[in-house]
């Protein structure tokens, strides 16, 4: 026990934050937390294994930082100070150096253990085939190689307040199997356990990569205006009130307000809006959004540490830390199963000889047989075998699930929340209506395409694509197009100047008649963006565009409802666009939501039961992380894919219902496996106590249960 130092009158608790390398699963976090709880002066312990961080309040008059570090090292992890504590901004939210320092999988502790066991296990198989008389020694050596680190962690965990962890379960099971000569079984079980632990390491690394992708959204430098001069500074040095210049094509360096200039800004990385938004003086802009076509002078309203992206990063980290993954059934059950099994085996070995003078050899033999029967090999493999089969089955159909915890939760969700743009919709605008005031629809579309030729704007690209789909002859433009930022783009064609612009632009010129304005409002009420085509200061037609629903969206929503699941759409788009899609797909709609509002909506839904969030954009990352399970569309942003617990690689809305169905079938399979494993053990335990079961029959019972459980789990691979 660490020496107790009385608290002095002037002492005060201070926050302490450090990185704990190698802490990559929930069991790791529990061990560290239990150990620190025993130290005086340590309070408010917060563990986040996904980001390998530890936060506590520490009274250094009672326990020093050095003692905490020694305790963590004793558990097999490496404590380090977070880099860049004074660097501010994004590094404070999620230090880039930490993320960049992640090791390749084969250099991690758990990765090395898998590699170190795979080759000896293969060698043991060869030796046992060639020399069966050496099988016990060959497999026994492999089992011991894997058992030593597991037993060490079990021992240290027991001393630190976690006596019956999964390591304790595996130590007892493997040692018991070796003791009665089941070395082959012991070696295989310890190898499978090492693989399961390693997969958790991989999942944790993916989560950290997601946060790094968020950080990379914000530029590292900003062009700041001071005393009439423009100079480049690190984004961390920006202060509220600074004026920054944002050129066309640049990302906005921090949240701010436009003080001069007119442009369109692509806010999709932050808000999820399907088309760029016009920005002018007094309009807000968000860090990470992309300036399209006009230079803007922006007054900074939030520092880099407090801008939209930094808050998203904080939300993701917070959600990953608070979203406790479903504890493995075996880990929970072992709290009672392992000590009870050991006590029962000890009573069988010692009770009859000591109480009634029975034969020692007979009851030691029966006790060893009991140890083998209660050895949880089939029980340990029951859950991972079913999950592995389900994950493989899903992967073959484009359903990528990142772990067993996510697979479990999917089967119990009560609500599925969808992002709109790129999730329920295609993520790009398409021409839906062409209204010719003069001439034909084809002529109108061809002229609009001629003006937009060379444009990188999503609406312009959609007009060009529509013209090409009709195989129209697009007339040439002379001298290139000229943009009036946020209003229109013009080009000189053979018959004169033609412009494609917003209804507001036409209204400013006094060219918008009432009857056409009414028609525009009707189209906008259906969630469509309307562009007017003007020639010689008269309107010759209009073109409406909308981000259309995916082909299978209606069927996907209907299938979820048939499963008894509530469906809701959460979108940053305007209310008209959101309601229009909601009516088509027949689901609830919440519109005009920034990332924080989406997060609040998810938290509200969670009060009714588990929630799945389906999204594809960077703005969806906090909601994906804070939902009970997050699912990303395969075509989405990297950060959404990394943050989510599952991904739909084929971009099918129907895939969400398929995930739920697969999860429910897997949960059923797991409980079947547990029933098989425990049922056989109970039956053979009874026969062993009465001397009916021999040691070889006990081995057969455990091996048979393992075979049955594995075969049942493999049925999931045949699922269509």
């Amino acid at each position: 026990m660490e020496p107790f130092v009385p608290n002095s009158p002037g002492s005060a608790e201070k926050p302490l934050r450090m990185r704990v390398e190698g802490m990559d699963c929930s069991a790791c976090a529990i061990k560290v937390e239990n150990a620190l709880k025993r130290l005086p002066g340590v309070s408010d312990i917060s563990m986040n294994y996904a980001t390998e961080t530890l936060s506590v309040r520490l009274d250094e008059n009672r326990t020093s930082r050095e003692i905490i570090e020694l305790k963590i090292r004793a558990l097999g992890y490496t404590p380090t100070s977070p880099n860049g504590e004074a660097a501010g901004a994004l590094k404070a939210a999620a230090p880039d150096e930490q993320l960049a320092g992640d090791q390749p999988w084969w250099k991690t502790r758990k990765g090395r253990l898998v590699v170190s066991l795979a080759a000896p296990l293969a060698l043991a198989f060869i030796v046992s085939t060639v020399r069966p008389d050496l099988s016990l020694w060959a497999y026994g050596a492999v089992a011991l190689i894997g058992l030593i680190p597991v037993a060490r962690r079990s021992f240290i965990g027991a001393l630190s307040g976690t006596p019956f962890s999964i390591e304790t379960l595996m130590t007892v099971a493997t040692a018991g199997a070796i003791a009665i000569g089941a070395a082959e079984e012991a070696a295989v079980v310890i190898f499978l356990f090492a693989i399961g632990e390693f997969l958790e390491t991989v999942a944790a690394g993916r989560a950290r990569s997601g946060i790094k992708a968020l950080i990379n959204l914000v530029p590292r430098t900003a062009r700041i205006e001071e005393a009439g001069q423009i100079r480049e500074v690190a984004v961390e040095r920006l202060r509220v009130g600074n004026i920054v210049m944002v050129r066309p094509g640049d990302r906005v360096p921090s949240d701010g307000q436009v003080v001069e200039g007119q442009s369109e800004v692509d806010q999709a990385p932050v808000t999820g809006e399907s088309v760029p938004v016009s920005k002018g003086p007094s309009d807000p802009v968000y860090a990470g959004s992309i300036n399209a076509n006009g230079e803007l002078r922006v007054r900074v309203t939030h520092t880099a540490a407090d801008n939209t992206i930094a808050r998203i990063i904080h939300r993701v980290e917070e959600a990953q830390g608070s979203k406790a993954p479903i504890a493995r059934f075996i880990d929970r059950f072992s709290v009672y199963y392992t000590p009870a099994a050991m006590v029962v085996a000890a009573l069988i070995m010692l009770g009859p000889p000591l109480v009634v003078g029975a034969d020692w050899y007979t009851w030691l033999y029966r006790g060893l047989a009991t140890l083998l029967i209660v050895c949880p090999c089939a029980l340990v493999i029951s859950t991972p075998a079913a999950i592995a089969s389900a994950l493989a089955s899903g992967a073959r159909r484009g359903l990528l699930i990142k772990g067993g915890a996510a697979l479990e939760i999917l089967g119990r969700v009560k609500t599925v929340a969808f992002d709109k743009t790129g999730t329920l919709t295609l993520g790009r605008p398409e021409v839906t209506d062409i209204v010719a005031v003069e001439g034909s629809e084809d002529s109108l579309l061809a002229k609009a395409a001629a003006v937009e030729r060379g444009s990188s704007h999503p609406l312009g690209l959609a007009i060009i694509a529509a013209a090409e789909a009709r195989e129209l002859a697009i007339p040439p433009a002379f001298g290139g197009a000229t943009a009036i930022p946020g209003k229109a783009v013009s080009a000189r064609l053979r018959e004169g100047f033609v412009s494609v612009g917003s209804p507001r632009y036409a209204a400013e010129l006094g060219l918008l008649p009432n009857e056409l304005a009414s028609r525009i409002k009707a189209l906008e009420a259906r969630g469509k963006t309307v562009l007017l085509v003007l020639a010689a200061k008269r309107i010759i037609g209009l073109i409406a565009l909308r981000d259309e629903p995916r082909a299978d969206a209606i069927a996907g929503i209907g299938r979820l409802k048939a499963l008894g699941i509530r469906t809701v759409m959460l979108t940053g788009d305007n209310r008209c666009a959101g309601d229009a899609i909601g009516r088509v797909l027949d689901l609830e709609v919440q519109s005009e939501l920034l990332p924080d509002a989406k997060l609040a909506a998810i938290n509200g839904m969670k009060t009714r039961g588990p929630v799945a969030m389906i999204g594809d954009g960077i703005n969806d990352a906090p909601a994906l992380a804070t939902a009970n399970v997050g699912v990303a569309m395969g075509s989405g942003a990297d950060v959404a894919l990394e943050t989510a617990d599952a991904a739909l690689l084929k971009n099918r809305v129907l895939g969400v219902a398929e995930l739920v169905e697969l999860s429910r079938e897997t949960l059923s399979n797991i409980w079947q496996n547990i029933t098989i494993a425990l049922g056989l053990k109970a039956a053979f335990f009874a026969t062993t106590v009465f001397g009916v079961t021999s040691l070889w029959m006990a081995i057969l019972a455990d091996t048979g249960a393992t075979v049955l459980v594995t075969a049942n789990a493999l049925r999931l691979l045949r699922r269509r």
Side-chain angles (χ1 to χ4, degrees):
M1 180 180 292
E2 312 298 346
F4 175 78
V5 181
N7 190 14
S8 64
S11 68
E13 291 184 342
K14 296 180 180 179
L16 171 66
R17 176 185 166 100
M18 64 175 65
R19 187 185 183 203
V20 183
E21 295 179 358
M23 185 178 70
D24 46 30
C25 68
S26 58
C28 299
I30 290 171
K31 283 181 211 168
V32 175
E33 184 173 354
N34 286 343
L36 297 184
K37 282 179 180 177
R38 295 188 163 198
L39 298 177
V42 179
S43 61
D44 295 342
I45 302 170
S46 175
M47 310 294 303
N48 189 337
Y49 74 87
T51 55
E52 293 184 304
T53 54
L54 159 68
S55 297
V56 300
R57 292 194 66 82
L58 176 64
D59 184 346
E60 292 191 337
N61 288 326
R62 304 180 68 191
T63 295
S64 68
R65 178 187 179 121
E66 289 70 25
I67 291 175
I68 289 181
E69 292 182 351
L70 287 172
K71 181 65 70 175
I72 293 173
R73 290 182 191 279
L75 291 171
Y77 310 110
T78 305
T80 59
S81 298
N83 295 323
E85 288 181 336
L90 299 173
K91 293 181 181 179
D96 199 8
E97 292 85 355
Q98 291 182 17
L99 300 171
D102 287 342
Q103 294 178 315
W105 69 266
W106 60 86
K107 291 185 178 181
T108 64
R109 172 172 55 87
K110 294 180 180 180
R112 289 196 303 267
L113 180 59
V114 171
V115 173
S116 67
L117 286 175
L121 188 61
L123 181 61
F125 174 77
I126 296 172
V127 170
S128 64
T129 303
V130 178
R131 292 285 305 275
D133 56 310
L134 297 178
S135 177
L136 176 63
W137 297 102
Y139 283 112
V142 177
L144 286 174
I145 292 173
L147 180 60
I148 289 172
V150 175
R152 179 181 177 276
R153 284 154 52 195
S154 173
F155 177 72
I156 295 174
L159 294 179
S160 302
T162 313
F164 298 113
S165 62
I166 189 70
E167 285 82 6
T168 303
L169 185 70
M170 291 307 304
T171 300
V172 173
T174 307
I178 293 174
I180 60 171
E184 178 180 353
E185 193 171 47
V188 172
V189 168
I190 203 72
F191 179 64
L192 291 175
F193 175 70
I195 290 177
E197 293 286 285
F198 163 69
L199 291 177
E200 289 183 338
T201 303
V202 174
R206 291 288 184 88
R208 289 188 284 273
S209 296
I211 295 176
K212 185 174 182 179
L214 277 171
I215 295 172
N216 290 335
L217 278 178
V218 179
R220 295 300 184 209
T221 61
R223 300 176 72 245
I224 188 172
E225 179 183 306
E226 287 183 344
Q229 300 294 319
I230 304 296
R231 62 190 183 91
E232 201 167 86
V233 300
V235 72
E236 292 86 2
R237 295 184 59 189
L238 291 178
R239 295 292 177 264
V240 174
N242 285 159
I243 302 297
V244 295
M245 305 298 296
V246 185
R247 298 168 298 187
D250 285 352
R251 287 187 181 270
V252 178
S254 193
D255 291 1
Q257 187 178 54
V258 177
V259 295
E260 185 180 324
Q262 192 82 30
S263 184
E264 291 183 317
V265 176
D266 181 2
Q267 298 184 156
V270 181
T271 67
E273 290 171 276
S274 52
V275 297
V277 179
S278 177
K279 296 290 183 180
S282 300
D283 289 334
V285 290
Y286 304 111
S289 54
I290 304 169
N291 185 22
N293 46 35
E295 187 170 74
L296 297 175
R297 293 177 71 240
V298 175
R299 179 183 292 109
V300 174
T301 57
H302 293 83
T303 62
D306 189 40
N307 65 34
T308 301
I309 296 299
R311 290 197 298 273
I312 290 176
I313 292 170
H314 175 69
R315 293 290 189 183
V316 172
E317 286 189 323
E318 188 178 63
Q320 288 174 338
S322 62
K323 184 179 64 177
I326 296 177
R328 288 170 292 185
F329 173 80
I330 300 302
D331 205 9
R332 296 196 305 266
F333 191 65
S334 67
V335 173
Y336 307 100
Y337 184 91
T338 303
M342 295 173 66
V343 169
V344 169
L347 289 175
I348 291 174
M349 289 180 185
L350 304 175
L354 292 176
V355 175
V356 297
D359 179 65
W360 278 98
Y361 178 81
T362 298
W363 288 99
L364 283 174
Y365 184 90
R366 291 181 183 181
L368 288 174
T370 301
L371 273 178
L372 179 59
I373 289 170
V374 300
C375 178
C377 301
L379 193 60
V380 167
I381 206 173
S382 61
T383 299
I387 288 175
S389 297
L391 295 181
S393 176
R396 288 190 312 196
R397 291 178 291 141
L399 309 175
L400 179 62
I401 308 168
K402 295 184 180 179
L407 186 62
E408 277 190 74
I409 299 172
L410 280 163
R412 296 199 292 266
V413 296
K414 300 297 182 184
T415 306
V416 173
F418 290 91
D419 172 49
K420 180 180 79 71
T421 305
T423 302
L424 289 174
T425 66
L426 295 171
R428 61 180 184 276
E430 294 186 340
V431 173
T432 59
D433 301 85
I434 302 174
V435 179
V437 177
E438 296 181 11
S440 65
E441 290 185 2
D442 285 353
S443 173
L444 178 70
L445 183 60
K447 290 176 181 177
V451 174
E452 296 286 0
R453 190 195 294 272
S455 170
S456 60
H457 193 289
L459 297 179
L461 294 175
I463 290 173
I464 295 169
E468 291 176 345
R470 296 193 180 196
E471 299 182 349
L472 302 180
I474 301 175
F478 303 96
T482 302
I484 305 173
K487 295 182 180 181
V489 59
S490 300
R492 186 167 65 87
L493 308 185
R494 180 171 284 106
E495 61 268 35
F497 281 96
V498 175
S499 301
V500 177
S502 66
R504 185 179 67 177
Y505 174 66
E508 289 176 356
L509 296 177
L511 302 177
L512 188 60
N514 291 334
E515 60 273 16
L516 195 57
S518 298
R519 184 152 192 182
I520 291 171
K521 286 183 179 179
L523 290 169
E524 290 178 338
R526 291 158 57 191
K528 299 182 179 183
T529 298
V530 179
L531 296 177
L532 299 180
V533 183
L534 299 88
K537 294 188 177 181
R538 67 184 188 280
I539 297 174
I540 62 173
L542 63 83
I543 298 173
L545 305 95
R546 186 172 70 180
D547 185 11
E548 291 292 274
R550 292 184 182 273
D552 70 329
I554 294 176
I557 299 298
R559 194 152 155 188
L560 285 171
K561 289 184 176 180
L563 293 170
I565 296 173
R566 175 193 177 202
T567 55
V568 183
M569 183 175 75
L570 307 177
T571 178
D573 232 334
N574 64 76
R575 188 173 302 279
C576 287
D579 289 346
I581 298 297
R583 286 192 296 270
V584 173
L585 301 181
D586 189 26
L587 79 170
E588 298 176 42
V589 178
Q590 295 183 34
S591 304
E592 300 177 0
L593 302 179
L594 288 174
D596 283 351
K598 281 190 179 182
L599 192 62
I602 290 291
N603 283 324
M605 295 174 195
K606 287 171 72 174
T607 61
R608 305 182 184 181
V611 176
M613 173 66 192
I614 322 297
D616 78 315
I618 289 162
N619 63 297
D620 299 320
L624 289 170
T626 203
N628 297 94
V629 60
V631 181
M633 302 299 284
S635 61
D638 289 344
V639 66
L641 291 170
E642 296 293 351
T643 303
D645 303 295
L648 305 175
L649 300 184
K650 294 183 180 179
N651 296 313
R652 297 168 61 248
V653 178
L654 273 167
V656 181
E658 292 173 355
L659 281 173
V660 173
E661 292 166 348
L662 177 62
S663 173
R664 292 181 178 181
E665 188 171 341
T666 303
L667 289 174
S668 175
N669 189 280
I670 288 172
W671 284 109
Q672 292 168 9
N673 289 345
I674 290 172
T675 301
I676 291 170
L678 293 180
L680 279 176
K681 289 180 186 301
F684 275 84
F685 173 75
T687 57
T688 298
V689 171
F690 289 103
V692 177
T693 304
S694 66
L695 198 60
W696 292 109
M697 291 177 68
I699 294 174
L700 181 62
D702 190 65
T703 304
T706 301
V707 171
L708 288 175
V709 163
T710 303
N712 188 51
L714 290 176
R715 290 191 304 111
L716 292 169
L717 287 173
R718 298 193 295 272
R719 186 180 188 277
R720 294 289 181 266

